[in-house]
Amino acid sequence: MSTDLHPLHADRITAWHHEADVVIAGYGIAGVSAAVEAARTGAEVLVLERTGGWGGAASLSGGIIYLGGGTGLQKALGFEDTPENMKTFMLAALGPGADEAKISEYCEGSVEHYDWLVDNGVVFKESFWGEPGWEIPGDDGLMYSGGENAAPFNDIATPAPRGHVPQMADKRTGEKGGGFMLMQPLSQVAESLGVRAEYDVRVQRLIVDEDGKVVGIAAKQYGNEVYVRARRGVVLATGSFAYNKEMISAYAPQLEGRPGAAIEEHDGRAIRMAQALGADLAHMDATEVAFFGDPQLMARGILVNGRGNRYVPEDTYPGRIGQLTLLKNDNQAFLVIDEAAYEDGCAATSSTPFFRFRPKWVAETVEELESDMGLPAGTLQATVEVYNRHAETGTDPVLGKKSEWCVPIGSPIAAIDLRNCTAGFTLGGLRTTVDSEVLHVSGEPIPGLFAAGRCTSGVCAWGYASGTSLGDGSFFGRRAGVSAAKG
């Protein structure tokens, strides 16, 4: 790939290979949503996609879309929610530094966005999955996906499940996930509206006119230089920078050496292209952290760090467990669990049975386990003693684990080694307005340039909830399409 990111001037281009009113880079969730809405305004739309077909990271994902405020699915299943309640949770869970303007718009527009997805052919089954889990193992439509019903958030806002999952039987994580059933109908709608796509196109540089307005994209297709003219606007929707080693090192070094929970096409190119025009960035150090532990097991035990201390309510959103493990506890985690709880957890239904690791240490007493693990003498014993004392009455005053999971730890007792069991993807990117305009470092929008999805900084800052990537990618992708079509 070319390293030259400097914008090209339109007067240097003698022939355009393609032309449209709106040109979109990337055919994942943000790109398809932008395409549909731009086409509905009557604009001619062309999508440039690096791979051989639509889908992006979205179609390989679990398909969770973070929606609330009283969606049709929430109401059908008897859950009450309001935009205000949703906003209270999101500001608490996705910060510090969460973008209040974006979260306000997102929460106020969430019911309408759910209806838009349904109207465009996305199917949600009216059934609720209430077990701990990364994803829904069956084809149910609704789950808790951000720790809404776990401490400390269940005291901050009224818990409501907001993880909406497109219906799909026989899901296979990373192959044919719920995200496929989100992308397929939307791409079909885009095609029916006359949206064109060019595949195997790698975007290289932005093209600007004499006034500095973005009027196109220079790209490579099958090794050849291609110039694409945008009569009204360009939308960048090419995903995160999780697979750009230099950018990870510069902006999010906590992910260095960790597997990227993304796709290799997420190389940050669009961010760099816009930076070359003076685009501003936000929250480039923010990351989601996947954790290779099975939630059905974690909820039944206690997680301790390298000092033998608990640090997170074990029944919360596993992405939050991952963040606190990697970013706050030196990537050190051990799951302490007794034999009965381990067997119960392994018998429960899970979308991630491959994260059910065998214990590394097994002992008759906590003291013996502590010694075998090499923890400082007395630390684990004190932790288990305090936990068990309160668990006898079904309480956890230390971290607030829900009473249903507060069971004293008995014997034999084991520990599963979960050190270095993290992966992640980046959440930071281009700073954009609520209408998906890319902002210059001066604070002014860059004329003709719009962006959405993981190449932007969306509703998440430090925290994350499953579904916020597909949620804000589609929500602000729609706005990018409308804004770009206006020119």
PDB file of all heavy atoms in Angstrom, residues 78-101:
ATOM      1  N   GLY A  78     -41.842  -7.042  27.744  1.00  0.00           N
ATOM      2  CA  GLY A  78     -42.190  -6.565  29.083  1.00  0.00           C
ATOM      3  C   GLY A  78     -41.131  -5.749  29.795  1.00  0.00           C
ATOM      4  O   GLY A  78     -41.191  -5.577  31.018  1.00  0.00           O
ATOM      5  N   PHE A  79     -40.147  -5.227  29.072  1.00  0.00           N
ATOM      6  CA  PHE A  79     -39.110  -4.406  29.690  1.00  0.00           C
ATOM      7  C   PHE A  79     -39.395  -2.919  29.475  1.00  0.00           C
ATOM      8  O   PHE A  79     -39.651  -2.492  28.347  1.00  0.00           O
ATOM      9  CB  PHE A  79     -37.727  -4.744  29.116  1.00  0.00           C
ATOM     10  CG  PHE A  79     -37.265  -6.127  29.461  1.00  0.00           C
ATOM     11  CD1 PHE A  79     -37.338  -7.149  28.525  1.00  0.00           C
ATOM     12  CD2 PHE A  79     -36.769  -6.412  30.727  1.00  0.00           C
ATOM     13  CE1 PHE A  79     -36.920  -8.435  28.831  1.00  0.00           C
ATOM     14  CE2 PHE A  79     -36.350  -7.694  31.048  1.00  0.00           C
ATOM     15  CZ  PHE A  79     -36.423  -8.707  30.101  1.00  0.00           C
ATOM     16  N   GLU A  80     -39.349  -2.160  30.547  1.00  0.00           N
ATOM     17  CA  GLU A  80     -39.564  -0.721  30.452  1.00  0.00           C
ATOM     18  C   GLU A  80     -38.226  -0.009  30.328  1.00  0.00           C
ATOM     19  O   GLU A  80     -37.266  -0.343  31.014  1.00  0.00           O
ATOM     20  CB  GLU A  80     -40.316  -0.211  31.695  1.00  0.00           C
ATOM     21  CG  GLU A  80     -41.766  -0.636  31.727  1.00  0.00           C
ATOM     22  CD  GLU A  80     -42.529   0.035  32.863  1.00  0.00           C
ATOM     23  OE1 GLU A  80     -42.076   1.090  33.340  1.00  0.00           O
ATOM     24  OE2 GLU A  80     -43.565  -0.512  33.259  1.00  0.00           O
ATOM     25  N   ASP A  81     -38.179   0.968  29.447  1.00  0.00           N
ATOM     26  CA  ASP A  81     -36.965   1.759  29.247  1.00  0.00           C
ATOM     27  C   ASP A  81     -37.370   3.113  28.700  1.00  0.00           C
ATOM     28  O   ASP A  81     -38.432   3.253  28.072  1.00  0.00           O
ATOM     29  CB  ASP A  81     -36.021   1.040  28.269  1.00  0.00           C
ATOM     30  CG  ASP A  81     -34.593   1.571  28.310  1.00  0.00           C
ATOM     31  OD1 ASP A  81     -34.253   2.303  29.263  1.00  0.00           O
ATOM     32  OD2 ASP A  81     -33.817   1.232  27.389  1.00  0.00           O
ATOM     33  N   THR A  82     -36.566   4.118  28.951  1.00  0.00           N
ATOM     34  CA  THR A  82     -36.803   5.454  28.387  1.00  0.00           C
ATOM     35  C   THR A  82     -35.487   5.970  27.833  1.00  0.00           C
ATOM     36  O   THR A  82     -34.407   5.512  28.241  1.00  0.00           O
ATOM     37  CB  THR A  82     -37.288   6.443  29.469  1.00  0.00           C
ATOM     38  OG1 THR A  82     -36.234   6.625  30.440  1.00  0.00           O
ATOM     39  CG2 THR A  82     -38.554   5.952  30.156  1.00  0.00           C
ATOM     40  N   PRO A  83     -35.550   6.947  26.917  1.00  0.00           N
ATOM     41  CA  PRO A  83     -34.306   7.548  26.428  1.00  0.00           C
ATOM     42  C   PRO A  83     -33.462   8.125  27.561  1.00  0.00           C
ATOM     43  O   PRO A  83     -32.232   8.016  27.539  1.00  0.00           O
ATOM     44  CB  PRO A  83     -34.794   8.639  25.472  1.00  0.00           C
ATOM     45  CG  PRO A  83     -36.131   8.154  24.991  1.00  0.00           C
ATOM     46  CD  PRO A  83     -36.729   7.452  26.176  1.00  0.00           C
ATOM     47  N   GLU A  84     -34.105   8.713  28.570  1.00  0.00           N
ATOM     48  CA  GLU A  84     -33.372   9.314  29.689  1.00  0.00           C
ATOM     49  C   GLU A  84     -32.639   8.248  30.499  1.00  0.00           C
ATOM     50  O   GLU A  84     -31.480   8.426  30.898  1.00  0.00           O
ATOM     51  CB  GLU A  84     -34.332  10.089  30.599  1.00  0.00           C
ATOM     52  CG  GLU A  84     -35.013  11.284  29.962  1.00  0.00           C
ATOM     53  CD  GLU A  84     -36.116  10.912  28.966  1.00  0.00           C
ATOM     54  OE1 GLU A  84     -36.696   9.801  29.089  1.00  0.00           O
ATOM     55  OE2 GLU A  84     -36.388  11.719  28.054  1.00  0.00           O
ATOM     56  N   ASN A  85     -33.310   7.128  30.743  1.00  0.00           N
ATOM     57  CA  ASN A  85     -32.702   6.029  31.497  1.00  0.00           C
ATOM     58  C   ASN A  85     -31.534   5.425  30.721  1.00  0.00           C
ATOM     59  O   ASN A  85     -30.469   5.132  31.289  1.00  0.00           O
ATOM     60  CB  ASN A  85     -33.772   4.964  31.774  1.00  0.00           C
ATOM     61  CG  ASN A  85     -33.279   3.854  32.674  1.00  0.00           C
ATOM     62  OD1 ASN A  85     -32.715   4.106  33.732  1.00  0.00           O
ATOM     63  ND2 ASN A  85     -33.476   2.616  32.240  1.00  0.00           N
ATOM     64  N   MET A  86     -31.733   5.267  29.428  1.00  0.00           N
ATOM     65  CA  MET A  86     -30.682   4.736  28.560  1.00  0.00           C
ATOM     66  C   MET A  86     -29.470   5.669  28.569  1.00  0.00           C
ATOM     67  O   MET A  86     -28.318   5.220  28.676  1.00  0.00           O
ATOM     68  CB  MET A  86     -31.242   4.584  27.139  1.00  0.00           C
ATOM     69  CG  MET A  86     -30.281   4.013  26.118  1.00  0.00           C
ATOM     70  SD  MET A  86     -31.106   3.972  24.490  1.00  0.00           S
ATOM     71  CE  MET A  86     -29.800   3.285  23.470  1.00  0.00           C
ATOM     72  N   LYS A  87     -29.727   6.965  28.495  1.00  0.00           N
ATOM     73  CA  LYS A  87     -28.644   7.950  28.492  1.00  0.00           C
ATOM     74  C   LYS A  87     -27.880   7.925  29.812  1.00  0.00           C
ATOM     75  O   LYS A  87     -26.637   7.999  29.824  1.00  0.00           O
ATOM     76  CB  LYS A  87     -29.208   9.347  28.223  1.00  0.00           C
ATOM     77  CG  LYS A  87     -28.146  10.435  28.211  1.00  0.00           C
ATOM     78  CD  LYS A  87     -28.749  11.815  27.931  1.00  0.00           C
ATOM     79  CE  LYS A  87     -27.692  12.892  28.060  1.00  0.00           C
ATOM     80  NZ  LYS A  87     -28.238  14.241  27.800  1.00  0.00           N
ATOM     81  N   THR A  88     -28.590   7.794  30.924  1.00  0.00           N
ATOM     82  CA  THR A  88     -27.936   7.739  32.236  1.00  0.00           C
ATOM     83  C   THR A  88     -26.957   6.580  32.289  1.00  0.00           C
ATOM     84  O   THR A  88     -25.812   6.716  32.750  1.00  0.00           O
ATOM     85  CB  THR A  88     -28.981   7.606  33.360  1.00  0.00           C
ATOM     86  OG1 THR A  88     -29.856   8.735  33.318  1.00  0.00           O
ATOM     87  CG2 THR A  88     -28.320   7.543  34.725  1.00  0.00           C
ATOM     88  N   PHE A  89     -27.403   5.413  31.811  1.00  0.00           N
ATOM     89  CA  PHE A  89     -26.518   4.252  31.791  1.00  0.00           C
ATOM     90  C   PHE A  89     -25.330   4.486  30.864  1.00  0.00           C
ATOM     91  O   PHE A  89     -24.169   4.230  31.238  1.00  0.00           O
ATOM     92  CB  PHE A  89     -27.257   2.984  31.356  1.00  0.00           C
ATOM     93  CG  PHE A  89     -26.308   1.850  31.056  1.00  0.00           C
ATOM     94  CD1 PHE A  89     -25.739   1.125  32.093  1.00  0.00           C
ATOM     95  CD2 PHE A  89     -25.954   1.536  29.751  1.00  0.00           C
ATOM     96  CE1 PHE A  89     -24.824   0.100  31.834  1.00  0.00           C
ATOM     97  CE2 PHE A  89     -25.047   0.524  29.479  1.00  0.00           C
ATOM     98  CZ  PHE A  89     -24.481  -0.196  30.514  1.00  0.00           C
ATOM     99  N   MET A  90     -25.575   4.928  29.635  1.00  0.00           N
ATOM    100  CA  MET A  90     -24.503   5.056  28.654  1.00  0.00           C
ATOM    101  C   MET A  90     -23.437   6.053  29.099  1.00  0.00           C
ATOM    102  O   MET A  90     -22.242   5.806  28.932  1.00  0.00           O
ATOM    103  CB  MET A  90     -25.068   5.430  27.281  1.00  0.00           C
ATOM    104  CG  MET A  90     -25.856   4.299  26.632  1.00  0.00           C
ATOM    105  SD  MET A  90     -26.472   4.690  24.969  1.00  0.00           S
ATOM    106  CE  MET A  90     -24.974   4.531  23.981  1.00  0.00           C
ATOM    107  N   LEU A  91     -23.866   7.170  29.690  1.00  0.00           N
ATOM    108  CA  LEU A  91     -22.883   8.150  30.161  1.00  0.00           C
ATOM    109  C   LEU A  91     -22.021   7.562  31.272  1.00  0.00           C
ATOM    110  O   LEU A  91     -20.818   7.839  31.356  1.00  0.00           O
ATOM    111  CB  LEU A  91     -23.573   9.429  30.640  1.00  0.00           C
ATOM    112  CG  LEU A  91     -24.111  10.347  29.542  1.00  0.00           C
ATOM    113  CD1 LEU A  91     -24.899  11.510  30.147  1.00  0.00           C
ATOM    114  CD2 LEU A  91     -22.974  10.888  28.660  1.00  0.00           C
ATOM    115  N   ALA A  92     -22.615   6.732  32.118  1.00  0.00           N
ATOM    116  CA  ALA A  92     -21.856   6.122  33.217  1.00  0.00           C
ATOM    117  C   ALA A  92     -20.943   5.010  32.724  1.00  0.00           C
ATOM    118  O   ALA A  92     -19.786   4.900  33.144  1.00  0.00           O
ATOM    119  CB  ALA A  92     -22.822   5.581  34.269  1.00  0.00           C
ATOM    120  N   ALA A  93     -21.456   4.183  31.823  1.00  0.00           N
ATOM    121  CA  ALA A  93     -20.724   2.972  31.430  1.00  0.00           C
ATOM    122  C   ALA A  93     -19.714   3.207  30.317  1.00  0.00           C
ATOM    123  O   ALA A  93     -18.745   2.449  30.196  1.00  0.00           O
ATOM    124  CB  ALA A  93     -21.715   1.895  30.994  1.00  0.00           C
ATOM    125  N   LEU A  94     -19.926   4.223  29.494  1.00  0.00           N
ATOM    126  CA  LEU A  94     -19.074   4.412  28.314  1.00  0.00           C
ATOM    127  C   LEU A  94     -18.023   5.495  28.518  1.00  0.00           C
ATOM    128  O   LEU A  94     -17.246   5.788  27.617  1.00  0.00           O
ATOM    129  CB  LEU A  94     -19.929   4.717  27.081  1.00  0.00           C
ATOM    130  CG  LEU A  94     -21.034   3.700  26.785  1.00  0.00           C
ATOM    131  CD1 LEU A  94     -21.756   4.050  25.499  1.00  0.00           C
ATOM    132  CD2 LEU A  94     -20.483   2.276  26.716  1.00  0.00           C
ATOM    133  N   GLY A  95     -18.019   6.112  29.691  1.00  0.00           N
ATOM    134  CA  GLY A  95     -17.047   7.151  29.998  1.00  0.00           C
ATOM    135  C   GLY A  95     -15.859   6.590  30.758  1.00  0.00           C
ATOM    136  O   GLY A  95     -15.712   5.372  30.860  1.00  0.00           O
ATOM    137  N   PRO A  96     -15.009   7.477  31.308  1.00  0.00           N
ATOM    138  CA  PRO A  96     -15.130   8.934  31.276  1.00  0.00           C
ATOM    139  C   PRO A  96     -14.860   9.508  29.887  1.00  0.00           C
ATOM    140  O   PRO A  96     -14.207   8.879  29.070  1.00  0.00           O
ATOM    141  CB  PRO A  96     -14.061   9.384  32.280  1.00  0.00           C
ATOM    142  CG  PRO A  96     -13.046   8.289  32.271  1.00  0.00           C
ATOM    143  CD  PRO A  96     -13.821   7.025  32.069  1.00  0.00           C
ATOM    144  N   GLY A  97     -15.418  10.685  29.665  1.00  0.00           N
ATOM    145  CA  GLY A  97     -15.200  11.375  28.406  1.00  0.00           C
ATOM    146  C   GLY A  97     -16.184  11.029  27.318  1.00  0.00           C
ATOM    147  O   GLY A  97     -16.001  11.432  26.168  1.00  0.00           O
ATOM    148  N   ALA A  98     -17.251  10.291  27.658  1.00  0.00           N
ATOM    149  CA  ALA A  98     -18.234   9.921  26.634  1.00  0.00           C
ATOM    150  C   ALA A  98     -18.857  11.174  26.024  1.00  0.00           C
ATOM    151  O   ALA A  98     -19.074  12.177  26.701  1.00  0.00           O
ATOM    152  CB  ALA A  98     -19.308   9.026  27.238  1.00  0.00           C
ATOM    153  N   ASP A  99     -19.131  11.114  24.733  1.00  0.00           N
ATOM    154  CA  ASP A  99     -19.654  12.244  23.965  1.00  0.00           C
ATOM    155  C   ASP A  99     -21.148  12.415  24.267  1.00  0.00           C
ATOM    156  O   ASP A  99     -21.988  11.712  23.715  1.00  0.00           O
ATOM    157  CB  ASP A  99     -19.425  11.974  22.474  1.00  0.00           C
ATOM    158  CG  ASP A  99     -19.743  13.159  21.584  1.00  0.00           C
ATOM    159  OD1 ASP A  99     -20.712  13.894  21.898  1.00  0.00           O
ATOM    160  OD2 ASP A  99     -19.052  13.346  20.571  1.00  0.00           O
ATOM    161  N   GLU A 100     -21.470  13.369  25.146  1.00  0.00           N
ATOM    162  CA  GLU A 100     -22.859  13.516  25.584  1.00  0.00           C
ATOM    163  C   GLU A 100     -23.791  13.907  24.441  1.00  0.00           C
ATOM    164  O   GLU A 100     -24.931  13.447  24.388  1.00  0.00           O
ATOM    165  CB  GLU A 100     -22.963  14.539  26.719  1.00  0.00           C
ATOM    166  CG  GLU A 100     -24.368  14.594  27.296  1.00  0.00           C
ATOM    167  CD  GLU A 100     -24.486  15.376  28.592  1.00  0.00           C
ATOM    168  OE1 GLU A 100     -23.455  15.831  29.116  1.00  0.00           O
ATOM    169  OE2 GLU A 100     -25.631  15.534  29.063  1.00  0.00           O
ATOM    170  N   ALA A 101     -23.308  14.739  23.531  1.00  0.00           N
ATOM    171  CA  ALA A 101     -24.165  15.150  22.410  1.00  0.00           C
ATOM    172  C   ALA A 101     -24.547  13.952  21.550  1.00  0.00           C
ATOM    173  O   ALA A 101     -25.715  13.783  21.174  1.00  0.00           O
ATOM    174  CB  ALA A 101     -23.447  16.206  21.561  1.00  0.00           C
TER     175      ALA A 101
END
